[in-house]
């Protein structure tokens, strides 16, 4: 059974979707720990409610970023973590950390990358930019994490239409409910079942049936 570490900074609704998918047997994995860099993140409470080890570990408590990341690497390796799941985690890892877990860190971003990604693009900021730009479709992207910000190989995407009367808040709610909470558990299931192959920037999903079932088929 694969061991997951989930990194969070906020309310943890994506964490909850993953917890629920494990509980209902969709994902065969164990969340070994939840780690947040925000002490008051409700996601930590969600972990505790589900008897998952919850840790507040912040860069602020280390002399610099590299010491923070070295601590995290040792913390994760000592627990023999297989995959690192970023779920609203608002810290950008250096190349050092990413290389320690190459193609074993995934992230969900609330837009159709590469649009509306990069530094400063997180949470409501993304949906504000989407509405201001006037695009007709948006959605979410699950991708591998590399040394860039939001530029890693794309695993899954799903689109929804932007409505004329959407606010950033209404759009965020729909992207979470209709896209994120669906595609992230599917992506993690595929990862844990070794059904994802990465060839350069291309990501091949080796289980077309699950994509069809979740209307994520792309060929
Ligand atoms: N090396 C990588 N690390 C991370 C990635 C990544 O793709 N590569 N994804 C992010 C998550 N993310 C978007 O999906 C993201 C998170 C945070 C930011 C950002 O600009 N953060 C601010 C600080 C925000 C705060 O602390 O309140 C900043 O760094 O100035 C952009 C994108 C996770 N890590
Ligand atoms: N760039 C990263 C980013 O913006 N991530 C976004 O933060 C939110 C976290 O919500 P949650 O804490 O309820 O899962 C989610 O919408 C996720 O896509």
């Amino acid at each position: 059974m694969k061991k997951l570490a989930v990194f969070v900074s906020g309310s943890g609704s994506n964490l909850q979707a993953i917890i629920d998918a494990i509980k209902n047997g969709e994902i065969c994995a164990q969340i070994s720990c939840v780690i947040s860099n925000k002490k008051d993140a409700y996601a930590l409470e969600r972990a505790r409610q589900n008897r998952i080890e919850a840790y507040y570990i912040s860069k602020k408590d280390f002399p610099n970023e590299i010491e923070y990341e070295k601590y995290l690497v040792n913390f994760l390796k000592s627990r023999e973590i297989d995959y690192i799941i970023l779920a609203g985690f608002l810290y950008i890892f250096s190349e050092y950390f990413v290389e320690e877990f190459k193609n074993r860190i995934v992230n969900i971003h609330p837009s159709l990358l590469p649009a509306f990604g990069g530094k400063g693009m997180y949470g409501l900021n993304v949906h504000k930019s989407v509405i201001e730009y006037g695009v007709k479709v948006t959605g979410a992207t699950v991708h591998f994490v590399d040394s860039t910000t939001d530029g890693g190989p794309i695993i899954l995407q799903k689109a929804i239409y932007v409505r004329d009367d959407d606010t950033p808040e209404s759009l965020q709610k729909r992207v979470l409910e209709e896209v994120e909470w669906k595609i992230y558990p599917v992506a993690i299931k595929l990862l844990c079942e070794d059904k994802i192959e990465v060839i350069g920037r291309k990501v091949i999903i080796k289980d077309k049936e699950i994509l069809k079932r979740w209307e994520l088929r792309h060929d």
Side-chain angles (χ1 to χ4, degrees), residues 41-69:
Y42 186 66
L44 291 175
E45 181 54 30
R46 291 184 195 266
R48 295 183 195 106
Q49 287 168 0
N50 288 278
R51 295 180 173 74
I52 298 168
E53 291 180 17
Y55 299 93
Y56 165 63
I57 306 174
S58 169
K59 184 183 66 172
K60 291 192 287 234
D61 300 321
F62 293 83
N64 53 52
E65 282 198 2
I66 192 67
E67 292 306 319
Y68 171 56
E69 293 188 10

Side-chain angles (χ1 to χ4, degrees), residues 7-16 43 46 86-90 107-111 113 116-118 120-127 139-141 143 149-150 172 175-176 180-181 184:
F7 282 70
V8 296
S9 297
S11 71
S13 69
N14 274 289
L15 167 66
Q16 190 64 58
R46 291 184 195 266
L86 308 186
F89 187 58
L90 298 181
N107 179 55
I108 191 159
H109 181 79
S111 76
L113 291 174
F116 306 104
M121 281 290 144
Y122 55 89
L124 270 182
N125 297 351
V126 176
H127 304 293
T141 302
H143 63 94
T149 302
D150 302 332
Q172 179 179 54
V175 170
L176 279 166
E180 296 188 45
W181 298 345
Y184 216 1

